[in-house]
Amino acid sequence: MSTLLLPPRTGPIENAALLPESGRAATDYLYILDTDIFYDVDDAVAVALAAFLIGPGRLVIVTSDETRGRRAMLSRRFVRRLGRTDVTVLPGVDLAGDRFVLDHHLTGLTSDPQPDFATTGHLADLCDAHPGPVVWIGCGPLSNLAALLTARPDLADSIQLVMMGGWLDPARYRDPSRASHNLRVDPRAAALVLRLLDGARLVLSEHTGVPELCVTADHRLYRELAANPEPWARLIVANFDSWFSFQLSRGKPAACHLHDVLTLAAALGTPVTFADEYIRIGGDVRFTRDRSGRRLLVSTDCDYSAVNTWMFDTLCA
């Protein structure tokens, strides 16, 4: 098998050295992007970046925290607008939530005849058919990966997880009374996956919810996408506008953080530094440092300037 994305865990490492061209997908990896897209806007931006940077036959999108098939329906339209008719979009596990803000863009779309439980078999077939490493980019709850590993635990040996979520420093997380969003929405799935997979790499919330990754209507990314007439850009802007309105309706700032953009960047080689930590995963999937806990790779620092330059060069050039 080809060299895996994740190197031996021997202290701090820098992701940039792992790929031949930092920020662009390696040609022998299959990337599965697991996303709760069309709620907070960072998912849509991450999918656009992945569509531009990951080559034909190397990208699969599976929707997490699915909500009556809406994420998958609109994601298919989105990837077509991005010119990626080759990308398979699969509906993931429906957690009976309603975290979706683009109902007004579903006109003319039909729901997927494939039930979400059939996605597990489809994902297993894709992993079996791919001769190289499989990189699972977790930008939502881990329900889909938990279902896959429950059905096919042997795949744990070939799947490399890069996930957005978790926190270790309560002073730097917005609500330390609970786990971060992607973990707490399906805590059983998160607890299972993080114990099954060796070498899981976590981009911690204290490194994503930062001013350097915060976007408002005054931000360069919003302004440049708003000036772009391409249909894919218009859909991202619509997601921004709907998210900003939703935030204001619940008394929060009209802003979003690019959590999933940083996670994709880490998976594709843009500089993010990781190190080993021994972590106890609590019953509520909050993390605490514990020498008797699970050994995981967690983010310790990143070059935000490099990440933003990479993003702008890809989407706004």
Side-chain angles (χ1 to χ4, degrees), residues 270-285:
T270 298
V272 178
T273 304
F274 291 85
D276 282 333
E277 284 279 7
Y278 289 90
I279 294 173
R280 178 168 56 83
I281 304 170
D284 61 356
V285 288

Side-chain angles (χ1 to χ4, degrees), residues 162-232:
V162 181
M163 181 192 176
M164 189 272 130
W167 56 265
L168 283 171
D169 184 353
R172 296 173 62 188
Y173 187 64
R174 65 181 184 270
D175 184 358
S177 69
R178 60 184 186 176
S180 61
H181 177 86
N182 288 344
L183 300 178
R184 72 173 181 269
V185 169
D186 191 346
R188 289 187 179 183
L192 175 69
V193 168
L194 294 178
R195 288 178 170 91
L196 274 178
L197 287 182
D198 187 44
R201 183 173 296 193
L202 303 179
V203 180
L204 296 177
S205 296
E206 52 258 52
H207 297 125
T208 63
V210 296
E212 293 88 343
L213 297 177
C214 183
V215 178
T216 66
D218 295 325
H219 192 275
R220 176 188 168 190
L221 179 65
Y222 180 89
R223 289 186 285 105
E224 295 210 19
L225 289 176
N228 188 335
E230 291 293 329
W232 65 266

Side-chain angles (χ1 to χ4, degrees), residues 136-153:
W136 191 288
I137 306 172
C139 294
L142 287 171
S143 316
N144 296 313
L145 186 51
L148 177 62
L149 294 177
T150 299
R152 288 286 306 277

Side-chain angles (χ1 to χ4, degrees), residues 111-129:
S111 61
D112 196 316
Q114 173 177 278
D116 57 22
F117 62 78
T119 291
T120 298
H122 200 150
L123 288 169
D125 291 344
L126 289 168
C127 292
D128 287 337

Side-chain angles (χ1 to χ4, degrees), residues 51-115:
F52 287 129
L53 294 169
I54 299 175
R58 299 290 185 233
L59 176 62
V60 175
I61 293 172
V62 58
T63 56
S64 60
D65 190 19
E66 185 53 88
T67 168
R68 305 190 298 281
R70 292 180 290 179
R71 298 195 204 284
M73 283 191 287
L74 194 52
S75 292
R76 291 193 184 94
R77 172 177 284 176
F78 188 39
V79 297
R80 288 197 302 269
R81 290 181 175 183
L82 288 159
R84 293 300 303 270
T85 57
D86 64 296
V87 172
T88 298
V89 177
L90 300 171
V93 175
D94 192 320
L95 298 176
D98 196 35
R99 290 173 282 268
F100 187 84
V101 296
L102 285 180
D103 278 312
H104 53 297
H105 282 267
L106 295 175
T107 304
L109 299 178
T110 56
S111 61
D112 196 316
Q114 173 177 278

